[in-house]
Amino acid sequence: MLDGARYGACTLRAASVRGDSARYRGEPRRDALLTARFGTGERALVLVALATGVRTAPGAHRAAADACRWIGAAVGRSHERLADDIRAARRGDLKSGLHRLTDRSLGRLRAEATEQGLDPDDYAATLRCLLLSADPECRTRVFFGVGPGGLFRLRGGEWQDIEPEVAEIKGEPVLGFGSPPHETPDGDRLTLDLNIPTPPSPYEPAPEPPREPFRFRTSVARPGDVLLMCGTGFAEPLRGEPGLRDHLAGRWSDPEPPGLTAYLADTQVRVKGYADDRTAAAVWEA
C-alpha cells in the first residue's frame, strides 16, 4: 500500500510492504495501513494508523485491518473535538480521550474474536497512530497507540529516537519521564504525567482496562523536521543498522520530500537479517 498528500505545513508519505519472509512463504502481509482525512480546509484532521497482527496466528492480517478500521471510525466520530484539542495543545484531554478510543477499538477486536470462536490473544494486533492538523499554524503532532514499534525524528541530519517508554513509574514524578532524553537542547516541550486520575473522557467510554500499556507523545515540529512512525519490521533495522540510518538521513534531509515511488524504494532497502513486513509513515515539515 502506498499513499501521500500535503496538508498545511506538512507532507505525508506512507507505505506498507510485505516482507521477504512472508513473500518467500507465500503468506499475506500481517501489517495493515490506514490513511484518512476528516473535515475540510484548515480544520481538517489527518489520521495515519498502522497495525500488526500476531505472528503465525491465523487471520493475523484480518485482525490488523480491523484494528485500523475501528480506530479510524472512532477518530472520525470525534475528529472535531480532537482537532480543537490539538490546536489548543490540550495534552491532558488528548491523552485521556485517545486512550479510551484505543481501548474501545481493541476491545472490539477481542469481542470479534469471541464471536468467531477464536482465541482473543491470537486475533489481536498492535496499533500505532499519528494525528496531524491541516492548520498551517499548528505544529503539534500527536502519536498514540499500543504495542512496540518506532517513533523517530530526523532533525539537522541526525536521527532521534523519541519512542515513548512504557516502564512502570515508581516514586515521585520526573519531568519528561518516558521520553528519552528527558529534555532536549532545542527546548522541546515535553508532557508531564503526574499520575492524577483523569475525569471521564469527552469522547467515548472505555469498555474495559487496557491489556497493554498505552503509548502517547506530543511533539512540536520545526521546519525541516521529518517525523517517522513505523512498525517493528522497519524500526528494528533502523535501530540496529547505522548504515540504514545514514542512508535514509542522506535521502530525506533534502527540503523537498521524496515522491511516492522514491519513498517506496526507500522503505524497501534490504538489510541482512531483517525480513519482516515494513510499514512506515513519514511527515516532512515545510
Side-chain angles (χ1 to χ4, degrees):
M1 297 181 68
L2 182 64
D3 202 358
R6 180 171 295 174
Y7 292 103
C10 60
T11 299
L12 172 68
R13 297 286 181 260
S16 182
V17 297
R18 188 166 57 154
D20 289 342
S21 179
R23 189 177 297 111
Y24 176 79
R25 296 194 300 267
E27 296 176 352
R29 176 166 43 90
R30 288 187 302 121
D31 283 2
L33 173 68
L34 170 71
T35 56
R37 186 201 72 203
F38 304 103
T40 59
E42 294 184 357
R43 295 186 58 82
L45 183 68
V46 178
L47 167 71
V48 184
L50 67 88
T52 302
V54 177
R55 188 186 298 273
T56 73
H61 59 294
R62 291 191 295 272
D66 282 344
C68 285
R69 183 169 65 253
W70 287 330
I71 193 64
V75 169
R77 287 191 293 269
S78 302
H79 77 272
E80 292 183 352
R81 186 185 294 270
L82 287 167
D84 289 341
D85 286 347
I86 292 173
R87 286 196 298 271
R90 301 187 189 106
R91 289 172 172 79
D93 289 345
L94 283 167
K95 184 175 183 180
S96 174
L98 292 171
H99 193 168
R100 291 175 181 274
L101 294 187
T102 302
D103 286 351
R104 184 176 182 85
S105 299
L106 296 181
R108 288 193 62 181
L109 203 59
R110 293 188 287 272
E112 181 70 16
T114 301
E115 290 180 3
Q116 295 184 26
L118 303 174
D119 185 342
D121 290 333
D122 286 339
Y123 199 77
T126 63
L127 180 64
R128 305 173 67 79
C129 304
L130 274 180
L131 287 177
L132 312 169
S133 172
D135 185 347
E137 300 301 319
C138 178
R139 292 281 187 171
T140 300
R141 310 298 177 226
V142 179
F143 162 80
F144 68 96
V146 170
L151 184 67
F152 304 91
R153 179 169 57 204
L154 180 62
R155 175 175 287 176
E158 299 292 333
W159 284 105
Q160 302 171 359
D161 191 337
I162 59 174
E163 173 73 13
E165 291 182 357
V166 293
E168 180 181 359
I169 297 177
K170 297 180 180 180
E172 295 301 316
V174 178
L175 179 61
F177 183 91
S179 302
H182 68 280
E183 59 182 338
T184 70
D186 297 321
D188 279 352
R189 292 175 292 169
L190 303 181
T191 302
L192 179 62
D193 186 353
L194 298 177
N195 270 351
I196 300 173
T198 55
S201 167
Y203 303 110
E204 296 183 34
E208 59 181 89
R211 288 188 164 212
E212 292 188 57
F214 178 69
R215 300 169 189 253
F216 176 85
R217 172 147 189 177
T218 62
S219 63
V220 179
R222 297 188 173 187
D225 282 356
V226 180
L227 183 65
L228 173 68
M229 178 186 72
C230 52
T232 55
F234 198 63
E236 289 179 352
L238 195 61
R239 289 192 176 105
E241 294 295 330
L244 179 61
R245 293 196 299 271
D246 293 343
H247 173 76
L248 293 180
R251 294 273 297 169
W252 293 355
S253 292
D254 193 305
E256 184 65 25
L260 290 177
T261 303
Y263 180 76
L264 178 62
D266 290 339
T267 62
Q268 292 180 296
V269 173
R270 280 187 166 84
V271 180
K272 187 176 181 180
Y274 300 94
D276 283 347
D277 299 343
R278 289 189 177 184
T279 303
V283 181
W284 276 258
E285 300 291 341

